[in-house]
Amino acid sequence: MLPRFTFLMCCSLGCCALLRAESSSPDQPEPAIEHAQKLVEAGKFTEAEKEYEEIVRADIASLGEQNPKTLTDRVTLAVAKSKVGDTLAAEDELRALLALYTRRRGPEHEETISCRIALALLLDDLGRTREALTEFRQILEIRERVLGPDDVEVARVRHMLGDALVSSHQLDESLPLYRRAQAVLVRELGPENRETLLNRSNLACALGEKGDFDTAETELKDILSTRERLLGSDDVSVYMTCFYLGRILAGHGHLDDAYTYATRALTGLQTKLAPSHPLIIRAGNLCAELKADIARHARKEDPHANPQ
């Protein structure tokens, strides 16, 4: 069985996915790749890029430039480059690899589709949402035609398309995609699988964006409880659920509760990720905004209060 690559998605709106390269045995990943992936998950993108560069050099030396594993690891390296800001090189490399895969494997092959997903995710990260949506819609059409509408891989693409739609504020179109994906993920992977919970979380956040705060809050609190039970209270996904609860509660006007969750998210993420990681910056900004809002509300209730 050839090496393949899959997407490990962070718990965030827009689903800024991280590419994880795996050996043919998912339970025994190549040590260098496993280490590089841990660097990516910790937000140490520069170190991860160097690690992937070494992996690709070793692939070329031992396997050759056209070996399937070499090509897979080149896709991973391109994604790592995008994370350190070298987005032009990343896009050029992904487009070149996509052309190569399409020519050698055909447009419907698993490796071609995976490379195309990496490109679509990069476009979405860059804010080129229209291009990303075009890619995801075409990928979904291929996946549904080849695999059928109820395949897990189809559900994953629906999830990513839903995230891209949320990024462009097209919430009405995103919700049915999340719901269809959820039905398949629950049936095929189980209700407590990480991917199932991630899709459920992003669905809840989209509902919150539409103003259905009560449903979003109820869902996220249940997801938080499930994640704490399964993963412990110190997992990144737990802290990200707290972050989104902070956002939802703030939108509902429950500022004190929102600040409690946002502070837990920030404090926890700071123990897990590099200080410059985008998730820490977002959590920090939310805490600062909530603190300012709470202070403004306090001054309105007591106009004679100290403005500090």
Side-chain angles (χ1 to χ4, degrees):
M1 185 176 180
L2 296 175
R4 62 188 297 272
F5 42 90
T6 58
F7 295 95
L8 177 64
M9 295 167 283
C10 294
C11 180
S12 62
L13 284 175
C15 201
C16 180
L18 303 177
L19 193 62
R20 179 178 65 194
E22 296 182 320
S23 69
S24 58
S25 173
D27 295 327
Q28 295 179 331
E30 185 178 316
I33 290 175
E34 185 178 32
H35 180 250
Q37 175 60 20
K38 288 179 179 178
L39 291 172
V40 172
E41 291 171 351
K44 299 178 180 179
F45 300 125
T46 301
E47 295 95 322
E49 180 190 20
K50 292 177 181 177
E51 192 90 7
Y52 283 124
E53 285 175 344
E54 289 297 323
I55 291 168
V56 170
R57 274 194 286 269
D59 287 342
I60 293 172
S62 62
L63 302 172
E65 292 187 1
Q66 301 300 311
N67 181 272
K69 182 181 183 303
T70 304
L71 297 177
T72 293
D73 290 339
R74 281 176 61 189
V75 174
T76 310
L77 174 58
V79 174
K81 284 183 177 297
S82 74
K83 298 300 179 184
V84 297
D86 196 358
T87 55
L88 289 176
E91 182 178 352
D92 287 346
E93 176 74 344
L94 288 174
R95 289 192 183 279
L97 287 164
L98 180 57
L100 178 61
Y101 275 127
T102 302
R103 185 170 63 252
R104 289 179 56 178
R105 299 289 197 179
E108 297 177 356
H109 192 275
E110 179 74 25
E111 292 171 354
T112 308
I113 293 294
S114 294
C115 184
R116 193 172 183 182
I117 288 173
L119 175 62
L121 289 165
L122 172 61
L123 294 171
D124 193 34
D125 283 349
L126 293 175
R128 291 157 60 182
T129 309
R130 182 174 297 180
E131 295 173 75
L133 289 173
T134 297
E135 290 294 325
F136 279 128
R137 287 192 172 106
Q138 291 177 1
I139 293 165
L140 180 59
E141 187 277 326
I142 292 171
R143 284 299 211 199
E144 287 182 327
R145 174 163 43 81
V146 173
L147 302 174
D150 296 325
D151 190 87
V152 170
E153 295 299 331
V154 174
R156 288 175 176 138
V157 178
R158 286 195 187 111
H159 173 104
M160 287 184 275
L161 175 55
D163 286 346
L165 287 164
V166 169
S167 297
S168 61
H169 308 290
Q170 299 181 54
L171 299 172
D172 288 336
E173 189 177 350
S174 73
L175 292 174
L177 286 164
Y178 284 136
R179 288 179 174 127
R180 288 192 69 184
Q182 189 68 12
V184 174
L185 293 171
V186 169
R187 185 180 67 249
E188 299 296 330
L189 303 180
E192 296 185 345
N193 176 272
R194 279 178 177 265
E195 289 186 64
T196 307
L197 290 171
L198 172 60
N199 185 78
R200 184 182 171 195
S201 174
N202 285 6
L203 170 58
C205 289
L207 289 168
E209 293 288 333
K210 275 187 68 69
D212 189 354
F213 298 116
D214 289 335
T215 302
E217 180 183 346
T218 299
E219 282 289 287
L220 286 171
K221 284 183 175 178
D222 188 64
I223 292 166
L224 177 61
S225 175
T226 300
R227 283 175 164 157
E228 288 177 324
R229 174 170 52 80
L230 295 174
L231 305 170
S233 61
D234 192 34
D235 188 81
V236 170
S237 67
V238 169
Y239 297 131
M240 285 309 301
T241 310
C242 291
F243 170 78
Y244 287 115
L245 268 168
R247 283 186 55 181
I248 294 301
L249 289 165
H252 210 178
H254 301 161
L255 299 182
D256 290 333
D257 288 343
Y259 186 68
T260 298
Y261 281 108
T263 302
R264 181 184 173 191
L266 177 60
T267 303
L269 290 171
Q270 286 172 332
T271 69
K272 297 290 186 180
L273 305 175
S276 60
H277 196 288
L279 297 180
I280 289 182
I281 294 171
R282 293 174 67 191
N285 289 342
L286 178 61
C287 286
E289 291 167 5
L290 286 168
K291 188 174 183 180
D293 286 343
I294 290 170
R296 279 194 293 271
H297 277 266
R299 287 196 296 273
K300 286 181 181 178
E301 293 178 0
D302 183 1
H304 303 294
N306 189 323
Q308 295 183 348

